[in-house]
Amino acid sequence: MKLLVTGGAGFIGSNFIHYILEKYSDYRVVNLDLLTYCGNLENLKDVENDPRYKFVKGDICDVDLVNNLVKNCDAVIHFAAESHVDRSILDPGPFVRTNVLGTLALLNAARNNNNKRFHHVSTDEVFGSLGPTGYFNENTPYDPGSPYSASKAASDHFVRAYFHTYKLPITITNCSNNYGEYEFPEKLIPLFVTNLLEGKNVPLYGDGLNVRDWLYVIDHCEAIDVVLHKGKIGETYCVGGNEEKTNLEITYKILEILGFGKDKIEFVADRKGHDRRYAIDATKIKKELGWGPKYKFDSALKQTVAWYKTHEAWWQRIKSGEYLKYYEAQYGKK
Ligand code: NAD
Ligand code: DAU
Protein backbone atom coordinates (compact mmCIF):
# COMPACT_ATOMS: atom_id res chain seq x y z
CA MET A 1 0.00 0.00 0.00
CA LYS A 2 1.24 3.48 -0.82
CA LEU A 3 0.18 6.19 1.62
CA LEU A 4 0.25 9.92 1.03
CA VAL A 5 0.79 11.41 4.49
CA THR A 6 0.28 15.17 4.70
CA GLY A 7 2.00 17.10 7.50
CA GLY A 8 4.35 14.19 8.17
CA ALA A 9 7.15 16.45 9.42
CA GLY A 10 5.05 17.63 12.37
CA PHE A 11 4.52 16.04 15.76
CA ILE A 12 1.89 13.37 15.16
CA GLY A 13 2.64 12.93 11.45
CA SER A 14 6.31 12.08 12.07
CA ASN A 15 5.37 9.61 14.82
CA PHE A 16 2.84 8.08 12.42
CA ILE A 17 5.42 7.66 9.64
CA HIS A 18 7.79 5.90 12.05
CA TYR A 19 4.93 3.72 13.26
CA ILE A 20 3.82 2.72 9.73
CA LEU A 21 7.32 1.98 8.41
CA GLU A 22 8.06 -0.15 11.47
CA LYS A 23 4.79 -2.06 11.33
CA TYR A 24 4.32 -2.66 7.59
CA SER A 25 7.48 -3.70 5.78
CA ASP A 26 5.75 -3.56 2.36
CA TYR A 27 4.13 -0.11 2.74
CA ARG A 28 5.49 3.01 1.07
CA VAL A 29 5.00 6.51 2.43
CA VAL A 30 5.13 9.84 0.62
CA ASN A 31 5.27 12.72 3.07
CA LEU A 32 3.91 16.04 1.74
CA ASP A 33 4.83 18.86 4.09
CA LEU A 34 5.35 22.59 3.62
CA LEU A 35 7.82 22.75 6.53
CA THR A 36 6.11 25.65 8.23
CA TYR A 37 7.50 26.82 11.59
CA CYS A 38 6.62 23.47 13.19
CA GLY A 39 7.53 21.10 10.36
CA ASN A 40 10.93 19.61 11.10
CA LEU A 41 12.77 17.07 8.95
CA GLU A 42 15.02 16.25 11.91
CA ASN A 43 12.02 14.28 13.20
CA LEU A 44 12.50 11.85 10.29
CA LYS A 45 16.29 11.74 10.03
CA ASP A 46 16.40 8.02 10.77
CA VAL A 47 14.11 7.14 7.83
CA GLU A 48 15.28 9.63 5.22
CA ASN A 49 17.35 6.99 3.41
CA ASP A 50 14.71 4.29 3.67
CA PRO A 51 13.73 3.41 0.06
CA ARG A 52 10.11 3.04 1.19
CA TYR A 53 9.98 6.71 2.26
CA LYS A 54 9.93 9.86 0.16
CA PHE A 55 9.66 13.49 1.23
CA VAL A 56 8.02 16.16 -0.95
CA LYS A 57 8.21 19.77 0.19
CA GLY A 58 5.00 21.47 -0.83
CA ASP A 59 1.73 23.05 0.10
CA ILE A 60 -1.52 21.10 0.43
CA CYS A 61 -3.19 24.15 -1.19
CA ASP A 62 -1.15 23.59 -4.39
CA VAL A 63 -3.83 21.95 -6.53
CA ASP A 64 -1.54 20.58 -9.28
CA LEU A 65 1.03 19.17 -6.88
CA VAL A 66 -1.61 17.58 -4.71
CA ASN A 67 -3.39 16.11 -7.72
CA ASN A 68 -0.18 14.44 -8.95
CA LEU A 69 0.65 13.01 -5.55
CA VAL A 70 -2.85 11.72 -4.88
CA LYS A 71 -2.92 10.11 -8.34
CA ASN A 72 0.04 7.94 -7.35
CA CYS A 73 -1.13 6.78 -3.92
CA ASP A 74 -3.70 4.33 -2.57
CA ALA A 75 -4.82 6.37 0.43
CA VAL A 76 -4.41 9.85 1.90
CA ILE A 77 -3.80 10.30 5.63
CA HIS A 78 -4.35 13.98 6.24
CA PHE A 79 -2.51 15.51 9.22
CA ALA A 80 -1.27 18.81 7.75
CA ALA A 81 -2.71 21.74 9.64
CA GLU A 82 -2.09 24.86 11.59
CA SER A 83 -2.53 23.23 14.98
CA HIS A 84 -1.94 25.72 17.79
CA VAL A 85 -4.95 27.40 19.41
CA ASP A 86 -2.95 30.40 20.72
CA ARG A 87 -1.65 31.19 17.24
CA SER A 88 -5.18 30.96 15.82
CA ILE A 89 -6.28 33.58 18.35
CA LEU A 90 -3.49 35.92 17.22
CA ASP A 91 -4.13 35.36 13.48
CA PRO A 92 -6.90 33.07 12.18
CA GLY A 93 -6.04 33.59 8.46
CA PRO A 94 -3.46 30.79 8.00
CA PHE A 95 -5.84 28.39 9.80
CA VAL A 96 -8.58 28.98 7.25
CA ARG A 97 -6.11 28.68 4.38
CA THR A 98 -4.44 25.43 5.39
CA ASN A 99 -7.11 23.70 7.45
CA VAL A 100 -10.09 24.51 5.24
CA LEU A 101 -8.80 25.32 1.74
CA GLY A 102 -5.94 22.83 1.95
CA THR A 103 -8.31 20.07 3.02
CA LEU A 104 -10.62 21.02 0.15
CA ALA A 105 -7.74 20.78 -2.35
CA LEU A 106 -6.94 17.27 -1.08
CA LEU A 107 -10.58 16.19 -1.19
CA ASN A 108 -10.88 17.40 -4.79
CA ALA A 109 -7.70 15.53 -5.73
CA ALA A 110 -9.02 12.36 -4.08
CA ARG A 111 -12.33 12.77 -5.91
CA ASN A 112 -10.68 13.49 -9.27
CA ASN A 113 -8.52 10.38 -9.00
CA ASN A 114 -11.12 7.62 -8.82
CA ASN A 115 -12.32 8.46 -5.32
CA LYS A 116 -9.18 7.61 -3.34
CA ARG A 117 -9.47 6.46 0.27
CA PHE A 118 -9.20 9.52 2.53
CA HIS A 119 -8.61 9.59 6.28
CA HIS A 120 -8.97 12.94 8.02
CA VAL A 121 -7.18 13.50 11.33
CA SER A 122 -9.29 15.83 13.43
CA THR A 123 -9.71 17.01 16.97
CA ASP A 124 -12.12 16.84 19.89
CA GLU A 125 -12.03 20.66 20.00
CA VAL A 126 -14.70 20.79 17.27
CA PHE A 127 -17.25 19.84 19.98
CA GLY A 128 -16.58 22.95 22.10
CA SER A 129 -16.32 22.84 25.87
CA LEU A 130 -17.83 20.45 28.43
CA GLY A 131 -19.13 21.31 31.88
CA PRO A 132 -17.86 19.36 34.90
CA THR A 133 -19.59 16.14 33.75
CA GLY A 134 -20.29 14.30 30.48
CA TYR A 135 -18.21 13.23 27.49
CA PHE A 136 -17.90 13.96 23.79
CA ASN A 137 -18.95 11.16 21.47
CA GLU A 138 -19.67 10.79 17.76
CA ASN A 139 -23.16 12.28 18.20
CA THR A 140 -22.10 15.41 20.08
CA PRO A 141 -23.15 18.54 18.14
CA TYR A 142 -20.34 20.69 16.78
CA ASP A 143 -19.73 23.89 18.77
CA PRO A 144 -16.16 25.05 18.07
CA GLY A 145 -14.93 27.91 20.25
CA SER A 146 -11.55 29.00 18.85
CA PRO A 147 -10.54 29.99 15.32
CA TYR A 148 -8.46 26.78 15.25
CA SER A 149 -11.37 24.53 16.17
CA ALA A 150 -13.71 26.44 13.84
CA SER A 151 -11.32 25.75 10.95
CA LYS A 152 -11.05 22.05 11.88
CA ALA A 153 -14.86 21.84 12.21
CA ALA A 154 -15.22 23.35 8.72
CA SER A 155 -12.76 20.80 7.34
CA ASP A 156 -14.66 17.93 9.02
CA HIS A 157 -17.88 19.15 7.43
CA PHE A 158 -16.28 19.24 3.98
CA VAL A 159 -14.91 15.72 4.44
CA ARG A 160 -18.36 14.43 5.38
CA ALA A 161 -19.99 16.41 2.55
CA TYR A 162 -17.66 14.68 0.05
CA PHE A 163 -18.84 11.32 1.36
CA HIS A 164 -22.49 12.32 1.26
CA THR A 165 -22.36 14.03 -2.14
CA TYR A 166 -19.66 12.19 -4.10
CA LYS A 167 -19.37 8.91 -2.14
CA LEU A 168 -15.71 9.65 -1.43
CA PRO A 169 -14.51 6.82 0.86
CA ILE A 170 -13.67 8.86 3.94
CA THR A 171 -13.20 8.27 7.66
CA ILE A 172 -12.57 10.85 10.39
CA THR A 173 -10.97 10.55 13.81
CA ASN A 174 -11.61 13.25 16.44
CA CYS A 175 -8.84 12.84 18.98
CA SER A 176 -8.05 14.37 22.35
CA ASN A 177 -4.74 16.01 23.42
CA ASN A 178 -1.63 14.08 22.38
CA TYR A 179 1.75 14.12 24.10
CA GLY A 180 5.04 12.43 23.31
CA GLU A 181 8.30 12.72 21.37
CA TYR A 182 8.81 15.42 18.68
CA GLU A 183 6.08 17.76 19.91
CA PHE A 184 6.84 21.38 19.11
CA PRO A 185 7.63 23.23 22.35
CA GLU A 186 4.76 25.68 22.14
CA LYS A 187 2.20 23.19 23.49
CA LEU A 188 1.68 22.71 27.23
CA ILE A 189 3.78 19.61 28.00
CA PRO A 190 6.88 20.24 25.84
CA LEU A 191 6.82 23.96 26.67
CA PHE A 192 6.78 23.32 30.41
CA VAL A 193 9.39 20.56 30.26
CA THR A 194 11.82 22.59 28.15
CA ASN A 195 11.25 25.80 30.13
CA LEU A 196 12.16 23.95 33.32
CA LEU A 197 15.22 22.37 31.70
CA GLU A 198 16.28 25.93 30.82
CA GLY A 199 15.70 27.09 34.39
CA LYS A 200 12.66 29.19 33.44
CA ASN A 201 9.18 29.44 34.93
CA VAL A 202 6.12 27.76 33.45
CA PRO A 203 3.21 30.03 32.38
CA LEU A 204 -0.07 28.51 33.52
CA TYR A 205 -3.16 30.17 32.02
CA GLY A 206 -5.96 31.41 34.28
CA ASP A 207 -6.59 29.25 37.36
CA GLY A 208 -4.89 26.19 35.82
CA LEU A 209 -8.03 24.11 36.29
CA ASN A 210 -8.94 23.56 32.64
CA VAL A 211 -9.18 19.86 31.88
CA ARG A 212 -7.84 17.92 28.89
CA ASP A 213 -8.01 14.18 28.12
CA TRP A 214 -4.43 13.07 27.39
CA LEU A 215 -3.37 10.36 24.95
CA TYR A 216 0.16 9.17 24.19
CA VAL A 217 0.90 9.85 20.52
CA ILE A 218 1.63 6.21 19.60
CA ASP A 219 -1.83 5.23 20.84
CA HIS A 220 -3.24 7.86 18.47
CA CYS A 221 -1.15 6.46 15.59
CA GLU A 222 -2.51 3.00 16.31
CA ALA A 223 -6.09 4.31 16.33
CA ILE A 224 -5.58 5.89 12.90
CA ASP A 225 -4.04 2.65 11.62
CA VAL A 226 -7.05 0.67 12.86
CA VAL A 227 -9.56 3.11 11.35
CA LEU A 228 -7.66 3.19 8.04
CA HIS A 229 -7.75 -0.59 7.74
CA LYS A 230 -10.95 -1.58 9.54
CA GLY A 231 -13.03 1.59 9.88
CA LYS A 232 -16.44 1.80 8.25
CA ILE A 233 -16.46 4.18 5.28
CA GLY A 234 -18.26 7.46 6.00
CA GLU A 235 -17.89 7.06 9.77
CA THR A 236 -16.35 9.15 12.51
CA TYR A 237 -14.48 7.72 15.50
CA CYS A 238 -13.77 9.61 18.72
CA VAL A 239 -10.33 8.76 20.15
CA GLY A 240 -9.24 9.54 23.71
CA GLY A 241 -7.05 8.30 26.52
CA ASN A 242 -9.52 8.35 29.40
CA GLU A 243 -6.85 10.33 31.23
CA GLU A 244 -8.54 13.56 32.29
CA LYS A 245 -6.19 15.95 34.09
CA THR A 246 -6.26 19.62 35.01
CA ASN A 247 -3.36 21.67 33.69
CA LEU A 248 -2.29 22.16 37.31
CA GLU A 249 -2.09 18.38 37.85
CA ILE A 250 0.02 18.03 34.71
CA THR A 251 2.28 20.83 35.90
CA TYR A 252 2.77 19.23 39.33
CA LYS A 253 3.67 15.93 37.68
CA ILE A 254 6.27 17.56 35.42
CA LEU A 255 7.73 19.54 38.34
CA GLU A 256 8.02 16.34 40.36
CA ILE A 257 9.69 14.36 37.56
CA LEU A 258 12.26 17.11 37.04
CA GLY A 259 12.75 17.83 40.75
CA PHE A 260 11.46 21.42 40.84
CA GLY A 261 9.14 23.13 43.32
CA LYS A 262 5.82 24.92 42.84
CA ASP A 263 7.61 28.30 42.87
CA LYS A 264 8.32 27.70 39.17
CA ILE A 265 4.62 28.14 38.37
CA GLU A 266 3.69 31.56 37.05
CA PHE A 267 -0.04 32.16 36.71
CA VAL A 268 -0.52 34.31 33.61
CA ALA A 269 -3.52 35.87 31.84
CA ASP A 270 -5.99 33.29 30.60
CA ARG A 271 -6.28 32.26 26.94
CA LYS A 272 -9.15 34.16 25.28
CA GLY A 273 -12.27 31.96 25.10
CA HIS A 274 -10.39 29.16 26.88
CA ASP A 275 -12.40 25.91 26.64
CA ARG A 276 -12.85 24.54 30.15
CA ARG A 277 -12.98 20.79 29.72
CA TYR A 278 -12.56 18.14 27.04
CA ALA A 279 -13.21 14.43 27.63
CA ILE A 280 -13.79 11.67 25.11
CA ASP A 281 -16.05 8.65 25.28
CA ALA A 282 -14.16 6.23 23.00
CA THR A 283 -16.70 3.39 23.29
CA LYS A 284 -17.39 3.23 19.54
CA ILE A 285 -13.81 2.63 18.38
CA LYS A 286 -13.27 0.22 21.27
CA LYS A 287 -16.41 -1.84 20.62
CA GLU A 288 -16.41 -1.78 16.82
CA LEU A 289 -12.69 -1.84 16.01
CA GLY A 290 -11.10 -3.20 19.20
CA TRP A 291 -8.83 -0.20 19.76
CA GLY A 292 -7.91 1.02 23.24
CA PRO A 293 -5.00 3.04 24.64
CA LYS A 294 -2.02 0.90 25.69
CA TYR A 295 0.07 3.54 27.42
CA LYS A 296 -0.55 4.77 30.97
CA PHE A 297 -0.21 8.48 31.51
CA ASP A 298 2.34 8.54 34.35
CA SER A 299 4.87 6.22 32.71
CA ALA A 300 4.46 7.65 29.20
CA LEU A 301 4.85 11.18 30.61
CA LYS A 302 8.11 10.14 32.31
CA GLN A 303 9.30 8.62 29.03
CA THR A 304 8.38 11.84 27.19
CA VAL A 305 10.20 14.03 29.71
CA ALA A 306 13.25 11.76 29.44
CA TRP A 307 13.20 12.17 25.64
CA TYR A 308 13.25 15.97 25.93
CA LYS A 309 16.15 15.70 28.40
CA THR A 310 18.20 13.63 25.96
CA HIS A 311 17.19 15.67 22.87
CA GLU A 312 18.14 19.11 24.09
CA ALA A 313 19.76 20.11 20.77
CA TRP A 314 16.46 19.37 18.97
CA TRP A 315 14.36 21.75 21.04
CA GLN A 316 17.11 24.31 21.68
CA ARG A 317 17.34 24.95 17.94
CA ILE A 318 13.60 25.51 17.85
CA LYS A 319 13.37 27.67 20.93
CA SER A 320 16.23 29.93 19.98
CA GLY A 321 14.53 30.84 16.70
CA GLU A 322 11.01 31.38 15.48
CA TYR A 323 9.29 30.11 18.59
CA LEU A 324 10.97 32.57 20.91
CA LYS A 325 9.81 35.55 18.86
CA TYR A 326 6.22 34.37 19.09
CA TYR A 327 6.40 33.67 22.80
CA GLU A 328 7.92 37.03 23.59
CA ALA A 329 5.38 38.89 21.47
CA GLN A 330 2.62 37.32 23.51
CA TYR A 331 3.97 37.27 27.03
CA GLY A 332 6.92 39.65 27.00
CA LYS A 333 10.58 38.76 27.48
CA LYS A 334 11.16 36.21 30.21
P1 NAD B 1 1.98 20.07 14.03
O1 NAD B 1 1.70 21.53 14.07
O2 NAD B 1 3.06 19.51 14.88
O3 NAD B 1 2.30 19.62 12.53
C1 NAD B 1 1.60 20.11 11.42
C2 NAD B 1 2.41 19.78 10.17
O4 NAD B 1 1.67 20.27 9.03
C3 NAD B 1 3.78 20.48 10.13
O5 NAD B 1 4.78 19.57 9.75
C4 NAD B 1 3.60 21.58 9.08
O6 NAD B 1 4.81 21.90 8.39
C5 NAD B 1 2.58 20.94 8.16
N1 NAD B 1 1.81 21.94 7.39
C6 NAD B 1 1.21 23.05 7.88
N2 NAD B 1 0.63 23.73 6.87
C7 NAD B 1 0.86 23.01 5.72
C8 NAD B 1 0.49 23.18 4.36
N3 NAD B 1 -0.22 24.25 3.96
N4 NAD B 1 0.90 22.25 3.47
C9 NAD B 1 1.62 21.18 3.87
N5 NAD B 1 2.00 20.98 5.14
C10 NAD B 1 1.62 21.88 6.06
O7 NAD B 1 0.58 19.39 14.33
P2 NAD B 1 0.24 18.05 15.11
O8 NAD B 1 0.09 18.36 16.54
O9 NAD B 1 1.15 16.99 14.67
O10 NAD B 1 -1.23 17.77 14.54
C11 NAD B 1 -1.42 17.02 13.34
C12 NAD B 1 -2.90 16.90 13.05
O11 NAD B 1 -3.54 16.26 14.14
C13 NAD B 1 -3.61 18.25 12.88
O12 NAD B 1 -4.54 18.12 11.84
C14 NAD B 1 -4.30 18.48 14.21
O13 NAD B 1 -5.47 19.25 14.04
C15 NAD B 1 -4.63 17.05 14.61
N6 NAD B 1 -4.73 16.80 16.06
C16 NAD B 1 -3.71 17.16 16.89
C17 NAD B 1 -3.79 16.86 18.25
C18 NAD B 1 -2.68 17.22 19.21
O14 NAD B 1 -2.85 17.05 20.42
N7 NAD B 1 -1.54 17.70 18.74
C19 NAD B 1 -4.93 16.20 18.74
C20 NAD B 1 -5.95 15.86 17.85
C21 NAD B 1 -5.84 16.15 16.51
O1 DAU C 1 -7.73 18.54 22.11
C1 DAU C 1 -6.94 18.33 20.97
C2 DAU C 1 -6.11 19.57 20.71
O2 DAU C 1 -5.10 19.60 21.71
C3 DAU C 1 -5.49 19.60 19.32
O3 DAU C 1 -6.50 19.66 18.37
C4 DAU C 1 -4.56 20.80 19.17
O4 DAU C 1 -3.91 20.77 17.92
C5 DAU C 1 -3.52 20.75 20.28
O5 DAU C 1 -2.69 21.89 20.22
C6 DAU C 1 -4.20 20.68 21.64
O6 DAU C 1 -4.90 21.91 21.92
P1 DAU C 1 -4.85 22.59 23.37
O7 DAU C 1 -5.15 24.02 23.23
O8 DAU C 1 -5.62 21.81 24.36
O9 DAU C 1 -3.26 22.36 23.69
P2 DAU C 1 -2.19 23.30 24.41
O10 DAU C 1 -1.00 22.43 24.67
O11 DAU C 1 -1.98 24.56 23.66
O12 DAU C 1 -2.89 23.65 25.78
C7 DAU C 1 -3.27 22.62 26.70
C8 DAU C 1 -3.86 23.30 27.92
O13 DAU C 1 -2.80 23.98 28.61
C9 DAU C 1 -4.90 24.36 27.59
O14 DAU C 1 -5.90 24.34 28.60
C10 DAU C 1 -4.13 25.67 27.66
C11 DAU C 1 -3.07 25.39 28.73
N1 DAU C 1 -1.79 26.10 28.55
C12 DAU C 1 -1.16 25.98 27.37
C13 DAU C 1 0.05 26.62 27.14
C14 DAU C 1 0.75 26.53 25.81
C15 DAU C 1 -1.24 26.82 29.60
O15 DAU C 1 -1.81 26.90 30.71
N2 DAU C 1 -0.05 27.46 29.39
C16 DAU C 1 0.61 27.41 28.20
O16 DAU C 1 1.68 28.04 28.05
Side-chain angles (χ1 to χ4, degrees):
M1 195 169 194
K2 187 168 176 185
L3 303 180
L4 175 63
V5 173
T6 71
F11 164 45
I12 308 174
S14 59
N15 277 288
F16 183 75
I17 290 173
H18 284 122
Y19 170 94
I20 287 290
L21 292 175
E22 264 168 42
K23 180 161 178 190
Y24 300 104
S25 59
D26 57 337
Y27 277 30
R28 283 172 298 151
V29 172
V30 174
N31 172 15
L32 170 63
D33 198 298
L34 187 57
L35 300 182
T36 64
Y37 76 94
C38 61
N40 187 348
L41 287 181
E42 257 190 273
N43 301 359
L44 294 156
K45 207 143 189 54
D46 52 334
V47 297
E48 68 188 11
N49 295 320
D50 188 321
R52 299 171 299 150
Y53 169 76
K54 185 178 165 204
F55 173 67
V56 176
K57 182 172 189 296
D59 191 338
I60 57 166
C61 300
D62 181 337
V63 170
D64 292 336
L65 173 68
V66 158
N67 195 56
N68 279 330
L69 293 173
V70 170
K71 192 186 294 171
N72 293 308
C73 76
D74 302 308
V76 180
I77 319 295
H78 177 34
F79 292 93
E82 289 292 337
S83 69
H84 191 36
V85 173
D86 290 329
R87 285 178 189 261
S88 81
I89 293 166
L90 293 176
D91 182 9
F95 287 74
V96 176
R97 184 183 179 279
T98 289
N99 300 0
V100 185
L101 300 179
T103 301
L104 196 61
L106 285 162
L107 287 168
N108 283 331
R111 186 184 160 219
N112 293 337
N113 287 286
N114 301 319
N115 266 2
K116 287 277 161 74
R117 177 80 172 87
F118 191 96
H119 179 74
H120 182 55
V121 181
S122 193
T123 170
D124 60 357
E125 300 202 9
V126 297
F127 301 123
S129 187
L130 290 164
T133 58
Y135 296 90
F136 298 134
N137 66 33
E138 291 76 7
N139 299 315
T140 306
Y142 274 41
D143 187 19
S146 71
Y148 162 70
S149 52
S151 70
K152 291 295 291 188
S155 67
D156 289 11
H157 289 317
F158 272 105
V159 174
R160 265 188 217 105
Y162 271 56
F163 169 69
H164 184 78
T165 310
Y166 308 116
K167 306 285 172 263
L168 193 75
I170 65 99
T171 42
I172 300 177
T173 39
N174 291 96
C175 186
S176 64
N177 284 63
N178 286 212
Y179 64 100
E181 294 77 2
Y182 302 112
E183 186 171 20
F184 192 87
E186 65 183 351
K187 309 281 166 60
L188 178 78
I189 289 178
L191 174 68
F192 281 22
V193 171
T194 57
N195 267 16
L196 290 168
L197 291 172
E198 290 180 303
K200 292 180 183 166
N201 289 343
V202 293
L204 204 49
Y205 297 163
D207 60 7
L209 297 181
N210 299 65
V211 173
R212 299 290 182 264
D213 172 1
W214 293 92
L215 182 72
Y216 184 56
V217 64
I218 298 302
D219 277 328
H220 187 190
C221 294
E222 192 171 67
I224 294 168
D225 174 19
V226 166
V227 172
L228 174 69
H229 292 97
K230 297 203 288 184
K232 193 168 164 214
I233 296 304
E235 296 278 316
T236 290
Y237 298 88
C238 282
V239 180
N242 201 20
E243 293 273 17
E244 278 186 62
K245 308 266 180 281
T246 65
N247 297 332
L248 198 56
E249 284 176 87
I250 300 278
T251 307
Y252 287 159
K253 283 179 189 290
I254 295 172
L255 289 170
E256 194 189 329
I257 294 170
L258 288 173
F260 288 97
K262 292 177 186 170
D263 56 308
K264 286 284 179 192
I265 300 177
E266 194 175 331
F267 286 93
V268 298
D270 208 353
R271 173 184 278 176
K272 287 189 179 70
H274 198 171
D275 286 341
R276 192 62 170 171
R277 176 173 166 256
Y278 305 144
I280 286 272
D281 172 0
T283 304
K284 178 178 173 181
I285 187 169
K286 282 178 193 158
K287 269 197 168 162
E288 293 184 11
L289 306 182
W291 174 88
K294 291 185 175 144
Y295 291 85
K296 290 269 164 256
F297 184 79
D298 284 345
S299 53
L301 179 67
K302 274 190 196 138
Q303 185 184 316
T304 301
V305 173
W307 185 87
Y308 281 90
K309 272 176 103 169
T310 53
H311 289 73
E312 186 166 337
W314 180 89
W315 55 262
Q316 281 288 8
R317 268 192 284 282
I318 295 169
K319 286 188 99 167
S320 59
E322 152 70 16
Y323 169 74
L324 200 61
K325 278 188 246 149
Y326 153 78
Y327 183 77
E328 285 175 0
Q330 198 172 25
Y331 298 108
K333 227 179 173 78
K334 286 219 189 297

